PDB file of all heavy atoms in Angstrom:
ATOM      1  N   PHE A 390      21.964  74.491  60.348  1.00  0.00           N
ATOM      2  CA  PHE A 390      22.801  73.803  61.335  1.00  0.00           C
ATOM      3  C   PHE A 390      24.017  73.260  60.600  1.00  0.00           C
ATOM      4  O   PHE A 390      23.984  73.097  59.326  1.00  0.00           O
ATOM      5  CB  PHE A 390      22.090  72.548  61.829  1.00  0.00           C
ATOM      6  CG  PHE A 390      20.776  72.976  62.676  1.00  0.00           C
ATOM      7  CD1 PHE A 390      19.606  73.171  62.079  1.00  0.00           C
ATOM      8  CD2 PHE A 390      20.851  72.838  64.110  1.00  0.00           C
ATOM      9  CE1 PHE A 390      18.565  73.484  62.878  1.00  0.00           C
ATOM     10  CE2 PHE A 390      19.758  73.073  64.877  1.00  0.00           C
ATOM     11  CZ  PHE A 390      18.542  73.615  64.245  1.00  0.00           C
TER      12      PHE A 390
ATOM     13  N   LEU B 120       1.341  65.592  54.955  1.00  0.00           N
ATOM     14  CA  LEU B 120       1.827  65.176  56.295  1.00  0.00           C
ATOM     15  C   LEU B 120       1.260  66.126  57.323  1.00  0.00           C
ATOM     16  O   LEU B 120       1.440  67.408  57.169  1.00  0.00           O
ATOM     17  CB  LEU B 120       3.398  65.190  56.326  1.00  0.00           C
ATOM     18  CG  LEU B 120       4.175  65.008  57.568  1.00  0.00           C
ATOM     19  CD1 LEU B 120       5.621  64.535  57.154  1.00  0.00           C
ATOM     20  CD2 LEU B 120       4.228  66.070  58.573  1.00  0.00           C
ATOM     21  N   TRP B 140       9.214  74.045  63.972  1.00  0.00           N
ATOM     22  CA  TRP B 140       9.393  72.732  63.509  1.00  0.00           C
ATOM     23  C   TRP B 140      10.719  72.480  62.889  1.00  0.00           C
ATOM     24  O   TRP B 140      11.203  73.373  62.165  1.00  0.00           O
ATOM     25  CB  TRP B 140       8.244  72.343  62.474  1.00  0.00           C
ATOM     26  CG  TRP B 140       6.922  72.128  63.276  1.00  0.00           C
ATOM     27  CD1 TRP B 140       5.880  73.098  63.249  1.00  0.00           C
ATOM     28  CD2 TRP B 140       6.457  70.997  63.883  1.00  0.00           C
ATOM     29  NE1 TRP B 140       4.795  72.662  63.867  1.00  0.00           N
ATOM     30  CE2 TRP B 140       5.084  71.418  64.281  1.00  0.00           C
ATOM     31  CE3 TRP B 140       6.811  69.750  64.129  1.00  0.00           C
ATOM     32  CZ2 TRP B 140       4.210  70.473  64.945  1.00  0.00           C
ATOM     33  CZ3 TRP B 140       6.113  68.815  64.758  1.00  0.00           C
ATOM     34  CH2 TRP B 140       4.686  69.181  65.302  1.00  0.00           C
ATOM     35  N   ILE B 141      11.388  71.456  63.296  1.00  0.00           N
ATOM     36  CA  ILE B 141      12.754  71.035  62.705  1.00  0.00           C
ATOM     37  C   ILE B 141      12.668  69.529  62.359  1.00  0.00           C
ATOM     38  O   ILE B 141      11.895  68.716  63.139  1.00  0.00           O
ATOM     39  CB  ILE B 141      13.723  71.321  63.771  1.00  0.00           C
ATOM     40  CG1 ILE B 141      13.742  72.728  64.065  1.00  0.00           C
ATOM     41  CG2 ILE B 141      15.141  70.863  63.321  1.00  0.00           C
ATOM     42  CD1 ILE B 141      14.417  73.128  65.546  1.00  0.00           C
ATOM     43  N   ARG B 142      13.306  69.116  61.393  1.00  0.00           N
ATOM     44  CA  ARG B 142      13.275  67.780  60.980  1.00  0.00           C
ATOM     45  C   ARG B 142      14.705  67.178  60.848  1.00  0.00           C
ATOM     46  O   ARG B 142      15.753  67.927  60.559  1.00  0.00           O
ATOM     47  CB  ARG B 142      12.506  67.416  59.786  1.00  0.00           C
ATOM     48  CG  ARG B 142      13.033  67.977  58.402  1.00  0.00           C
ATOM     49  CD  ARG B 142      12.086  67.653  57.285  1.00  0.00           C
ATOM     50  NE  ARG B 142      12.665  68.083  56.075  1.00  0.00           N
ATOM     51  CZ  ARG B 142      12.032  67.933  54.809  1.00  0.00           C
ATOM     52  NH1 ARG B 142      10.791  67.267  54.756  1.00  0.00           N
ATOM     53  NH2 ARG B 142      12.601  68.336  53.785  1.00  0.00           N
ATOM     54  N   GLN B 143      14.848  65.843  60.964  1.00  0.00           N
ATOM     55  CA  GLN B 143      16.122  65.129  60.788  1.00  0.00           C
ATOM     56  C   GLN B 143      15.885  63.844  60.016  1.00  0.00           C
ATOM     57  O   GLN B 143      15.325  62.910  60.623  1.00  0.00           O
ATOM     58  CB  GLN B 143      16.674  64.919  62.202  1.00  0.00           C
ATOM     59  CG  GLN B 143      18.052  64.256  62.179  1.00  0.00           C
ATOM     60  CD  GLN B 143      18.593  64.238  63.510  1.00  0.00           C
ATOM     61  OE1 GLN B 143      18.006  64.019  64.462  1.00  0.00           O
ATOM     62  NE2 GLN B 143      19.970  64.476  63.617  1.00  0.00           N
ATOM     63  N   PRO B 144      16.259  63.798  58.725  1.00  0.00           N
ATOM     64  CA  PRO B 144      16.205  62.548  58.095  1.00  0.00           C
ATOM     65  C   PRO B 144      17.062  61.516  58.745  1.00  0.00           C
ATOM     66  O   PRO B 144      18.019  61.746  59.400  1.00  0.00           O
ATOM     67  CB  PRO B 144      16.732  62.828  56.639  1.00  0.00           C
ATOM     68  CG  PRO B 144      16.590  64.200  56.566  1.00  0.00           C
ATOM     69  CD  PRO B 144      16.809  64.835  57.821  1.00  0.00           C
ATOM     70  N   LYS B 147      21.002  61.613  59.305  1.00  0.00           N
ATOM     71  CA  LYS B 147      21.436  62.959  58.762  1.00  0.00           C
ATOM     72  C   LYS B 147      21.248  64.010  59.768  1.00  0.00           C
ATOM     73  O   LYS B 147      21.052  63.845  60.992  1.00  0.00           O
ATOM     74  CB  LYS B 147      20.637  63.155  57.469  1.00  0.00           C
ATOM     75  CG  LYS B 147      20.866  62.065  56.443  1.00  0.00           C
ATOM     76  CD  LYS B 147      20.344  62.490  55.060  1.00  0.00           C
ATOM     77  CE  LYS B 147      20.607  61.490  53.975  1.00  0.00           C
ATOM     78  NZ  LYS B 147      20.078  61.832  52.641  1.00  0.00           N
ATOM     79  N   GLY B 148      21.665  65.285  59.242  1.00  0.00           N
ATOM     80  CA  GLY B 148      21.486  66.473  60.193  1.00  0.00           C
ATOM     81  C   GLY B 148      20.215  66.960  60.271  1.00  0.00           C
ATOM     82  O   GLY B 148      19.162  66.569  59.834  1.00  0.00           O
ATOM     83  N   LEU B 149      20.135  68.265  60.786  1.00  0.00           N
ATOM     84  CA  LEU B 149      19.004  68.917  61.230  1.00  0.00           C
ATOM     85  C   LEU B 149      18.563  70.025  60.225  1.00  0.00           C
ATOM     86  O   LEU B 149      19.530  70.826  59.656  1.00  0.00           O
ATOM     87  CB  LEU B 149      19.183  69.573  62.545  1.00  0.00           C
ATOM     88  CG  LEU B 149      19.423  68.596  63.823  1.00  0.00           C
ATOM     89  CD1 LEU B 149      19.995  69.276  64.972  1.00  0.00           C
ATOM     90  CD2 LEU B 149      18.117  67.982  64.101  1.00  0.00           C
ATOM     91  N   GLU B 150      17.251  70.119  59.970  1.00  0.00           N
ATOM     92  CA  GLU B 150      16.726  71.108  58.994  1.00  0.00           C
ATOM     93  C   GLU B 150      15.714  71.918  59.535  1.00  0.00           C
ATOM     94  O   GLU B 150      14.671  71.325  59.966  1.00  0.00           O
ATOM     95  CB  GLU B 150      16.385  70.435  57.628  1.00  0.00           C
ATOM     96  CG  GLU B 150      15.818  71.448  56.607  1.00  0.00           C
ATOM     97  CD  GLU B 150      15.306  70.871  55.320  1.00  0.00           C
ATOM     98  OE1 GLU B 150      14.809  69.690  55.488  1.00  0.00           O
ATOM     99  OE2 GLU B 150      15.304  71.385  54.355  1.00  0.00           O
ATOM    100  N   TRP B 151      15.731  73.193  59.620  1.00  0.00           N
ATOM    101  CA  TRP B 151      14.705  74.021  60.140  1.00  0.00           C
ATOM    102  C   TRP B 151      13.565  74.134  59.089  1.00  0.00           C
ATOM    103  O   TRP B 151      13.855  74.289  57.917  1.00  0.00           O
ATOM    104  CB  TRP B 151      15.320  75.328  60.489  1.00  0.00           C
ATOM    105  CG  TRP B 151      14.249  76.373  60.908  1.00  0.00           C
ATOM    106  CD1 TRP B 151      13.614  76.486  62.111  1.00  0.00           C
ATOM    107  CD2 TRP B 151      13.669  77.415  60.152  1.00  0.00           C
ATOM    108  NE1 TRP B 151      12.731  77.475  62.166  1.00  0.00           N
ATOM    109  CE2 TRP B 151      12.735  78.100  60.966  1.00  0.00           C
ATOM    110  CE3 TRP B 151      13.869  77.826  58.933  1.00  0.00           C
ATOM    111  CZ2 TRP B 151      11.996  79.252  60.566  1.00  0.00           C
ATOM    112  CZ3 TRP B 151      13.182  79.129  58.557  1.00  0.00           C
ATOM    113  CH2 TRP B 151      12.250  79.697  59.351  1.00  0.00           C
ATOM    114  N   ILE B 152      12.414  73.841  59.562  1.00  0.00           N
ATOM    115  CA  ILE B 152      11.232  73.810  58.601  1.00  0.00           C
ATOM    116  C   ILE B 152      10.524  75.132  58.613  1.00  0.00           C
ATOM    117  O   ILE B 152      10.136  75.808  57.521  1.00  0.00           O
ATOM    118  CB  ILE B 152      10.203  72.809  59.126  1.00  0.00           C
ATOM    119  CG1 ILE B 152      10.920  71.356  58.865  1.00  0.00           C
ATOM    120  CG2 ILE B 152       8.920  72.817  58.210  1.00  0.00           C
ATOM    121  CD1 ILE B 152       9.944  70.169  59.539  1.00  0.00           C
ATOM    122  N   GLY B 153      10.173  75.655  59.838  1.00  0.00           N
ATOM    123  CA  GLY B 153       9.518  76.932  59.906  1.00  0.00           C
ATOM    124  C   GLY B 153       9.073  77.340  61.291  1.00  0.00           C
ATOM    125  O   GLY B 153       9.308  76.567  62.307  1.00  0.00           O
ATOM    126  N   SER B 166      13.474  76.436  51.115  1.00  0.00           N
ATOM    127  CA  SER B 166      13.778  75.193  50.473  1.00  0.00           C
ATOM    128  C   SER B 166      12.641  74.193  50.334  1.00  0.00           C
ATOM    129  O   SER B 166      12.590  73.269  49.528  1.00  0.00           O
ATOM    130  CB  SER B 166      14.871  74.438  51.343  1.00  0.00           C
ATOM    131  OG  SER B 166      14.357  74.018  52.530  1.00  0.00           O
ATOM    132  N   LEU B 167      11.467  74.473  51.123  1.00  0.00           N
ATOM    133  CA  LEU B 167      10.447  73.529  51.152  1.00  0.00           C
ATOM    134  C   LEU B 167       9.363  74.189  50.025  1.00  0.00           C
ATOM    135  O   LEU B 167       8.347  73.571  49.977  1.00  0.00           O
ATOM    136  CB  LEU B 167       9.819  73.453  52.525  1.00  0.00           C
ATOM    137  CG  LEU B 167      10.786  72.647  53.487  1.00  0.00           C
ATOM    138  CD1 LEU B 167      10.354  72.785  54.921  1.00  0.00           C
ATOM    139  CD2 LEU B 167      10.732  71.163  53.156  1.00  0.00           C
ATOM    140  N   ARG B 170       5.398  74.315  50.388  1.00  0.00           N
ATOM    141  CA  ARG B 170       4.634  73.237  50.761  1.00  0.00           C
ATOM    142  C   ARG B 170       4.252  73.081  52.249  1.00  0.00           C
ATOM    143  O   ARG B 170       3.433  72.325  52.658  1.00  0.00           O
ATOM    144  CB  ARG B 170       5.406  71.897  50.294  1.00  0.00           C
ATOM    145  CG  ARG B 170       5.684  71.663  48.916  1.00  0.00           C
ATOM    146  CD  ARG B 170       6.143  70.252  48.755  1.00  0.00           C
ATOM    147  NE  ARG B 170       7.559  70.065  49.260  1.00  0.00           N
ATOM    148  CZ  ARG B 170       7.850  69.024  50.134  1.00  0.00           C
ATOM    149  NH1 ARG B 170       6.945  68.137  50.450  1.00  0.00           N
ATOM    150  NH2 ARG B 170       9.099  68.859  50.577  1.00  0.00           N
ATOM    151  N   VAL B 171       4.735  74.072  53.011  1.00  0.00           N
ATOM    152  CA  VAL B 171       4.591  74.081  54.455  1.00  0.00           C
ATOM    153  C   VAL B 171       3.558  75.118  54.937  1.00  0.00           C
ATOM    154  O   VAL B 171       3.576  76.192  54.471  1.00  0.00           O
ATOM    155  CB  VAL B 171       5.878  74.443  55.212  1.00  0.00           C
ATOM    156  CG1 VAL B 171       5.752  74.350  56.667  1.00  0.00           C
ATOM    157  CG2 VAL B 171       6.919  73.572  54.706  1.00  0.00           C
ATOM    158  N   LEU B 184       1.770  71.379  62.049  1.00  0.00           N
ATOM    159  CA  LEU B 184       2.495  71.381  60.685  1.00  0.00           C
ATOM    160  C   LEU B 184       1.911  70.646  59.685  1.00  0.00           C
ATOM    161  O   LEU B 184       1.280  69.574  59.976  1.00  0.00           O
ATOM    162  CB  LEU B 184       4.032  70.734  61.041  1.00  0.00           C
ATOM    163  CG  LEU B 184       4.730  70.443  59.751  1.00  0.00           C
ATOM    164  CD1 LEU B 184       5.318  71.727  59.181  1.00  0.00           C
ATOM    165  CD2 LEU B 184       5.966  69.468  60.073  1.00  0.00           C
ATOM    166  N   LEU B 186       2.663  69.537  55.699  1.00  0.00           N
ATOM    167  CA  LEU B 186       3.589  69.513  54.664  1.00  0.00           C
ATOM    168  C   LEU B 186       2.964  68.780  53.448  1.00  0.00           C
ATOM    169  O   LEU B 186       2.648  67.520  53.475  1.00  0.00           O
ATOM    170  CB  LEU B 186       4.884  68.868  55.089  1.00  0.00           C
ATOM    171  CG  LEU B 186       5.990  68.745  54.059  1.00  0.00           C
ATOM    172  CD1 LEU B 186       6.515  70.162  53.449  1.00  0.00           C
ATOM    173  CD2 LEU B 186       7.210  67.984  54.521  1.00  0.00           C
ATOM    174  N   VAL B 189       4.173  65.199  49.731  1.00  0.00           N
ATOM    175  CA  VAL B 189       5.313  64.634  50.314  1.00  0.00           C
ATOM    176  C   VAL B 189       5.907  63.445  49.358  1.00  0.00           C
ATOM    177  O   VAL B 189       5.167  62.914  48.588  1.00  0.00           O
ATOM    178  CB  VAL B 189       5.050  63.919  51.703  1.00  0.00           C
ATOM    179  CG1 VAL B 189       4.746  65.087  52.700  1.00  0.00           C
ATOM    180  CG2 VAL B 189       3.988  62.974  51.527  1.00  0.00           C
ATOM    181  N   THR B 190       7.223  63.324  49.465  1.00  0.00           N
ATOM    182  CA  THR B 190       7.942  62.328  48.836  1.00  0.00           C
ATOM    183  C   THR B 190       8.865  61.609  49.850  1.00  0.00           C
ATOM    184  O   THR B 190       8.876  61.883  50.924  1.00  0.00           O
ATOM    185  CB  THR B 190       8.843  62.825  47.675  1.00  0.00           C
ATOM    186  OG1 THR B 190       9.968  63.543  48.199  1.00  0.00           O
ATOM    187  CG2 THR B 190       8.075  63.802  46.738  1.00  0.00           C
ATOM    188  N   ALA B 191       9.583  60.569  49.277  1.00  0.00           N
ATOM    189  CA  ALA B 191      10.361  59.756  50.279  1.00  0.00           C
ATOM    190  C   ALA B 191      11.421  60.658  50.880  1.00  0.00           C
ATOM    191  O   ALA B 191      11.920  60.441  52.018  1.00  0.00           O
ATOM    192  CB  ALA B 191      11.029  58.573  49.565  1.00  0.00           C
ATOM    193  N   ALA B 192      11.734  61.772  50.213  1.00  0.00           N
ATOM    194  CA  ALA B 192      12.773  62.664  50.849  1.00  0.00           C
ATOM    195  C   ALA B 192      12.274  63.316  52.017  1.00  0.00           C
ATOM    196  O   ALA B 192      13.020  63.971  52.869  1.00  0.00           O
ATOM    197  CB  ALA B 192      13.245  63.703  49.762  1.00  0.00           C
ATOM    198  N   ASP B 193      10.978  63.290  52.320  1.00  0.00           N
ATOM    199  CA  ASP B 193      10.435  63.884  53.417  1.00  0.00           C
ATOM    200  C   ASP B 193      10.396  62.928  54.711  1.00  0.00           C
ATOM    201  O   ASP B 193       9.992  63.378  55.788  1.00  0.00           O
ATOM    202  CB  ASP B 193       9.054  64.525  53.103  1.00  0.00           C
ATOM    203  CG  ASP B 193       9.029  65.536  52.223  1.00  0.00           C
ATOM    204  OD1 ASP B 193       9.805  66.531  52.307  1.00  0.00           O
ATOM    205  OD2 ASP B 193       8.235  65.443  51.177  1.00  0.00           O
ATOM    206  N   THR B 194      10.855  61.803  54.540  1.00  0.00           N
ATOM    207  CA  THR B 194      10.915  60.814  55.619  1.00  0.00           C
ATOM    208  C   THR B 194      11.904  61.377  56.515  1.00  0.00           C
ATOM    209  O   THR B 194      13.056  61.667  56.295  1.00  0.00           O
ATOM    210  CB  THR B 194      11.367  59.494  55.103  1.00  0.00           C
ATOM    211  OG1 THR B 194      10.268  58.857  54.395  1.00  0.00           O
ATOM    212  CG2 THR B 194      11.612  58.462  56.337  1.00  0.00           C
ATOM    213  N   ALA B 195      11.450  61.481  57.874  1.00  0.00           N
ATOM    214  CA  ALA B 195      12.471  62.177  58.821  1.00  0.00           C
ATOM    215  C   ALA B 195      11.705  61.969  60.216  1.00  0.00           C
ATOM    216  O   ALA B 195      10.612  61.604  60.434  1.00  0.00           O
ATOM    217  CB  ALA B 195      12.517  63.649  58.576  1.00  0.00           C
ATOM    218  N   VAL B 196      12.617  62.364  61.302  1.00  0.00           N
ATOM    219  CA  VAL B 196      12.061  62.653  62.643  1.00  0.00           C
ATOM    220  C   VAL B 196      11.806  63.918  62.663  1.00  0.00           C
ATOM    221  O   VAL B 196      12.556  64.888  62.315  1.00  0.00           O
ATOM    222  CB  VAL B 196      13.048  62.190  63.673  1.00  0.00           C
ATOM    223  CG1 VAL B 196      12.512  62.623  65.039  1.00  0.00           C
ATOM    224  CG2 VAL B 196      13.397  60.714  63.745  1.00  0.00           C
ATOM    225  N   TYR B 197      10.540  64.249  63.040  1.00  0.00           N
ATOM    226  CA  TYR B 197      10.094  65.626  63.036  1.00  0.00           C
ATOM    227  C   TYR B 197       9.948  66.186  64.518  1.00  0.00           C
ATOM    228  O   TYR B 197       9.343  65.450  65.444  1.00  0.00           O
ATOM    229  CB  TYR B 197       8.672  65.834  62.471  1.00  0.00           C
ATOM    230  CG  TYR B 197       8.742  65.803  60.952  1.00  0.00           C
ATOM    231  CD1 TYR B 197       9.016  64.511  60.320  1.00  0.00           C
ATOM    232  CD2 TYR B 197       8.643  67.043  60.113  1.00  0.00           C
ATOM    233  CE1 TYR B 197       9.002  64.594  58.797  1.00  0.00           C
ATOM    234  CE2 TYR B 197       8.871  66.901  58.777  1.00  0.00           C
ATOM    235  CZ  TYR B 197       8.873  65.728  58.137  1.00  0.00           C
ATOM    236  OH  TYR B 197       9.093  65.567  56.740  1.00  0.00           O
ATOM    237  N   TYR B 198      10.570  67.255  64.803  1.00  0.00           N
ATOM    238  CA  TYR B 198      10.698  67.769  66.134  1.00  0.00           C
ATOM    239  C   TYR B 198       9.960  69.188  66.225  1.00  0.00           C
ATOM    240  O   TYR B 198      10.051  69.895  65.194  1.00  0.00           O
ATOM    241  CB  TYR B 198      12.203  68.143  66.578  1.00  0.00           C
ATOM    242  CG  TYR B 198      13.024  66.932  66.755  1.00  0.00           C
ATOM    243  CD1 TYR B 198      13.910  66.521  65.766  1.00  0.00           C
ATOM    244  CD2 TYR B 198      12.934  66.064  67.848  1.00  0.00           C
ATOM    245  CE1 TYR B 198      14.692  65.419  65.859  1.00  0.00           C
ATOM    246  CE2 TYR B 198      13.848  65.099  68.035  1.00  0.00           C
ATOM    247  CZ  TYR B 198      14.823  64.675  67.001  1.00  0.00           C
ATOM    248  OH  TYR B 198      15.618  63.790  67.199  1.00  0.00           O
ATOM    249  N   CYS B 199       9.218  69.315  67.308  1.00  0.00           N
ATOM    250  CA  CYS B 199       8.791  70.709  67.525  1.00  0.00           C
ATOM    251  C   CYS B 199       9.723  71.245  68.699  1.00  0.00           C
ATOM    252  O   CYS B 199      10.255  70.460  69.488  1.00  0.00           O
ATOM    253  CB  CYS B 199       7.279  70.737  67.979  1.00  0.00           C
ATOM    254  SG  CYS B 199       6.769  69.768  69.281  1.00  0.00           S
ATOM    255  N   TRP B 213      13.007  70.866  73.340  1.00  0.00           N
ATOM    256  CA  TRP B 213      12.535  70.285  72.091  1.00  0.00           C
ATOM    257  C   TRP B 213      11.596  69.151  72.478  1.00  0.00           C
ATOM    258  O   TRP B 213      11.539  68.662  73.664  1.00  0.00           O
ATOM    259  CB  TRP B 213      13.656  69.550  71.372  1.00  0.00           C
ATOM    260  CG  TRP B 213      14.688  70.480  70.807  1.00  0.00           C
ATOM    261  CD1 TRP B 213      15.460  71.340  71.468  1.00  0.00           C
ATOM    262  CD2 TRP B 213      15.208  70.418  69.543  1.00  0.00           C
ATOM    263  NE1 TRP B 213      16.389  71.993  70.706  1.00  0.00           N
ATOM    264  CE2 TRP B 213      16.237  71.442  69.530  1.00  0.00           C
ATOM    265  CE3 TRP B 213      14.979  69.816  68.364  1.00  0.00           C
ATOM    266  CZ2 TRP B 213      17.038  71.735  68.327  1.00  0.00           C
ATOM    267  CZ3 TRP B 213      15.648  70.027  67.234  1.00  0.00           C
ATOM    268  CH2 TRP B 213      16.741  71.063  67.157  1.00  0.00           C
ATOM    269  N   THR B 217       9.089  62.720  66.499  1.00  0.00           N
ATOM    270  CA  THR B 217       8.178  61.623  65.834  1.00  0.00           C
ATOM    271  C   THR B 217       8.707  61.276  64.458  1.00  0.00           C
ATOM    272  O   THR B 217       8.878  62.172  63.725  1.00  0.00           O
ATOM    273  CB  THR B 217       6.629  62.036  65.865  1.00  0.00           C
ATOM    274  OG1 THR B 217       5.994  60.905  65.612  1.00  0.00           O
ATOM    275  CG2 THR B 217       6.424  63.217  65.016  1.00  0.00           C
TER     276      THR B 217
END
Side-chain angles (χ1 to χ4, degrees):
Chain A
F390 294 83
Chain B
L120 177 160
W140 289 95
I141 297 156
R142 70 180 181 178
Q143 185 172 37
K147 297 188 178 180
L149 298 158
E150 179 183 32
W151 177 74
I152 297 171
S166 71
L167 292 166
R170 297 192 292 131
V171 180
L184 168 70
L186 180 65
V189 297
T190 70
D193 295 309
T194 293
V196 175
Y197 285 76
Y198 295 100
C199 59
W213 298 55
T217 187

